[in-house]
């Protein structure tokens, strides 16, 4: 097993938040834990290794937090720490969806994205007046034109899922940034993986 501990705070004030914690096995789609951080924003749990998990943390009035926790054989000998800073819902707030996955060089959503998509659906249903933009990003492999189209199509795939599940998509726009806004070094596979991402921006 591996240890996972963290603290949840308000990104702007630094004050602790007793957010709701949900950890889901991405392969089975089944929840492993559903709980709350304590009054000081702290949480701690034990997870079986050799499994990929979605960690989502929510609090009314805030953007939810998404993390991918991938535990291999080496995971059992150390604690994983998550310092979670929740952003209040307001114009300009951004959310990285770290558990949205696509087939390689494709905009076809993989089944393991279902957990995150359902979380996003719940968030939008709880904030029906919100207008958002879904942003697609790629790494730097391939031409600029190809990456721009791929990132746009991936954003549209997420929008189509929301539409199919009853969301009013007149309040949703999409944009493909290609490889123009990296958040990590494209020289490494880990960096490229971080750059291949889907984001939500509140308009």
């Amino acid at each position: 097993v591996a240890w996972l501990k963290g603290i949840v705070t308000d990104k702007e004030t630094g004050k602790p938040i007793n957010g709701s914690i949900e950890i889901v096995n991405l392969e089975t789609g089944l929840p492993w834990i559903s709980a709350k951080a304590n009054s000081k924003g702290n949480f701690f749990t034990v997870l079986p290794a050799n499994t990929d998990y979605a960690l989502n943390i929510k609090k009314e009035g805030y953007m939810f937090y998404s993390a991918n926790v991938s535990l291999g054989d080496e995971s059992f000998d150390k604690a994983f720490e998550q310092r979670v800073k929740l952003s209040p819902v307001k114009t300009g707030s951004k959310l990285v969806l770290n558990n949205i996955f696509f087939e390689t060089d494709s905009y076809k959503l993989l089944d393991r994205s279902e957990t995150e998509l359902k979380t996003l659906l719940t968030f939008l249903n709880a904030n029906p007046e919100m207008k958002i933009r879904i942003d697609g990003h790629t790494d730097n492999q391939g031409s600029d034109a190809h990456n721009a189209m791929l990132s746009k199509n991936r954003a549209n795939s997420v929008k189509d899922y929301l539409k199919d599940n009853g969301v009013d998509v007149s309040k949703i726009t999409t944009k493909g940034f290609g490889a123009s806004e990296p958040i990590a070094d494209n020289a490494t596979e880990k960096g490229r993986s971080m750059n291949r991402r889907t984001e939500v921006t509140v308009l």
Side-chain angles (χ1 to χ4, degrees), residues 79-90:
F80 283 81
E81 294 192 33
Q82 296 280 334
R83 294 189 173 272
V84 179
K85 297 179 180 180
L86 295 185
S87 298
V89 172
K90 63 181 182 180

Side-chain angles (χ1 to χ4, degrees), residues 140-151:
N140 66 346
Q141 307 294 294
S143 69
D144 289 346
H146 175 77
N147 287 333
M149 182 60 70
L150 178 62
S151 60

Side-chain angles (χ1 to χ4, degrees), residues 70 98 127 149-150:
S70 183
N98 285 304
N127 297 275
M149 182 60 70
L150 178 62

Side-chain angles (χ1 to χ4, degrees), residues 26-106:
L26 283 173
E27 298 305 321
T28 65
L30 299 175
W32 174 256
I33 259 188
S34 183
K36 292 193 76 171
N38 64 19
S39 59
K40 295 182 179 180
N42 296 307
F43 64 93
F44 176 86
T45 188
V46 176
L47 300 172
N50 297 307
T51 307
D52 288 348
Y53 298 93
L55 167 65
N56 287 315
I57 300 176
K58 312 169 200 172
K59 182 70 174 180
E60 185 177 353
Y62 290 86
M63 306 292 283
F64 72 88
Y65 174 84
S66 159
N68 177 262
V69 181
S70 183
L71 303 179
D73 282 333
E74 75 286 351
S75 303
F76 61 85
D77 60 352
K78 62 181 179 181
F80 283 81
E81 294 192 33
Q82 296 280 334
R83 294 189 173 272
V84 179
K85 297 179 180 180
L86 295 185
S87 298
V89 172
K90 63 181 182 180
T91 301
S93 293
K94 284 183 178 288
L95 162 66
V96 180
L97 301 172
N98 285 304
N99 294 294
I100 297 288
F101 308 100
F102 298 91
E103 291 186 357
T104 302
D105 200 32
S106 166

Side-chain angles (χ1 to χ4, degrees), residues 187-199:
T188 68
E189 175 50 41
K190 181 178 180 180
R192 290 191 294 272
S193 176
M194 292 175 65
N195 290 331
R196 298 189 296 267
R197 68 194 189 278
T198 305
E199 295 180 342

